[in-house]
Amino acid sequence: MTHPPRHPPFRVLLSRDQILRRTQELARQITADAGAEPLCLVVVIEGARTFARQLQQLLPGQPPLHEVRASSYSGTESTGVVQLAVGRDVPCRGRDVLLLEDIVDTGRTVHALRRHFLANGATSCRIATLLSKPSRRVVPVELDYTGFEIPDEFVLGFGMDLDGRYRELPEIVIYEAEVERAFQAASAH
Ligand code: IMP
């Protein structure tokens, strides 16, 4: 018996295999660049959690992951205002921070976070992002490690969501409202 698909048939941009292979390459570069002291890994939740866990497993000693929350999106639109929630317990003072992000879009989030950690005593703050949309940049930011540069499309899956939906998709897909509407209409019958 075949089961109907549980998700709209969005176009796949990056397969799980492509993502995993690229994450391994990033882990090798990060390891080669790291100093003697363990990195202070900081993941921007929720979206970057899947990428961050994968990467963490591939780094020597599997340094602990510290979480910060940042939000700037409403639906598929950037509001231009970044709200940060960084716990006092992130041990960044005197450490090399590595920020792990799912996607750098306007650049505001990683810019604000880098500024925060450097202002709070981090020795350095580098950025590793799974995805980057260079054509959307508003704030120039230097990205130290980039998984994939992608076009200006709203993407979902591998931890990334649209108002909480589609985060669990194993690969990265391109969101299309039309495809979602057609799927919902068909499922209703
Ligand atoms: P920035 O501050 O504009 O660079 O936005 C970065 C944040 O916006 C990311 O961490 C995501 O949470 C969200 N974001 C930007 N583009 C997308 C997308 O295509 N899909 C899902 N989330 C996105």
Side-chain angles (χ1 to χ4, degrees):
M1 193 172 104
T2 55
H3 295 281
R6 269 176 286 159
H7 300 289
F10 296 126
R11 192 151 58 86
V12 175
L13 182 65
L14 293 164
S15 71
R16 195 174 168 78
D17 243 35
Q18 284 174 291
I19 302 166
L20 299 188
R21 264 185 276 126
R22 185 70 184 124
T23 308
Q24 285 167 350
E25 288 171 5
L26 293 181
R28 277 197 288 273
Q29 283 176 30
I30 292 167
T31 306
D33 294 349
E37 298 299 321
L39 292 167
C40 175
L41 290 187
V42 177
V43 51
V44 188
I45 57 170
E46 294 285 328
R49 208 178 238 148
T50 310
F51 167 57
R53 284 195 179 141
Q54 206 104 70
L55 191 69
Q56 179 202 28
Q57 300 302 311
L58 298 165
L59 296 178
Q62 302 181 2
L65 272 179
H66 304 281
E67 297 184 346
V68 297
R69 194 175 284 278
S71 50
S72 60
Y73 258 71
S74 170
T76 60
E77 298 297 323
S78 173
T79 62
V81 180
V82 183
Q83 290 179 327
L84 295 184
V86 183
R88 289 176 192 280
D89 53 337
V90 180
C92 66
R93 188 161 292 281
R95 306 273 308 276
D96 290 314
V97 170
L98 181 64
L99 264 183
L100 303 176
E101 180 58 302
D102 52 355
I103 179 160
V104 176
D105 179 55
T106 65
R108 289 189 182 103
T109 303
V110 287
H111 176 77
L113 281 167
R114 179 180 262 162
R115 220 173 36 188
H116 170 91
F117 286 114
L118 292 176
N120 281 273
T123 307
S124 69
C125 181
R126 280 179 293 161
I127 297 166
T129 184
L130 178 58
L131 305 178
S132 169
K133 293 185 207 171
S135 65
R136 294 263 309 159
R137 212 68 92 239
V138 173
V139 179
V141 280
E142 193 190 320
L143 302 178
D144 302 277
Y145 308 98
T146 302
F148 301 92
E149 291 195 343
I150 64 165
D152 181 11
E153 304 274 9
F154 197 80
V155 294
L156 296 165
F158 203 73
M160 288 172 283
D161 72 312
L162 172 58
D163 297 332
R165 308 198 304 282
Y166 309 120
R167 208 185 275 294
E168 71 288 359
L169 292 181
E171 65 268 291
I172 294 176
V173 303
I174 296 177
Y175 174 72
E176 278 172 280
E178 260 312 300
V179 174
E180 185 181 51
R181 268 198 293 275
F183 177 80
Q184 285 167 348
S187 309
H189 294 121

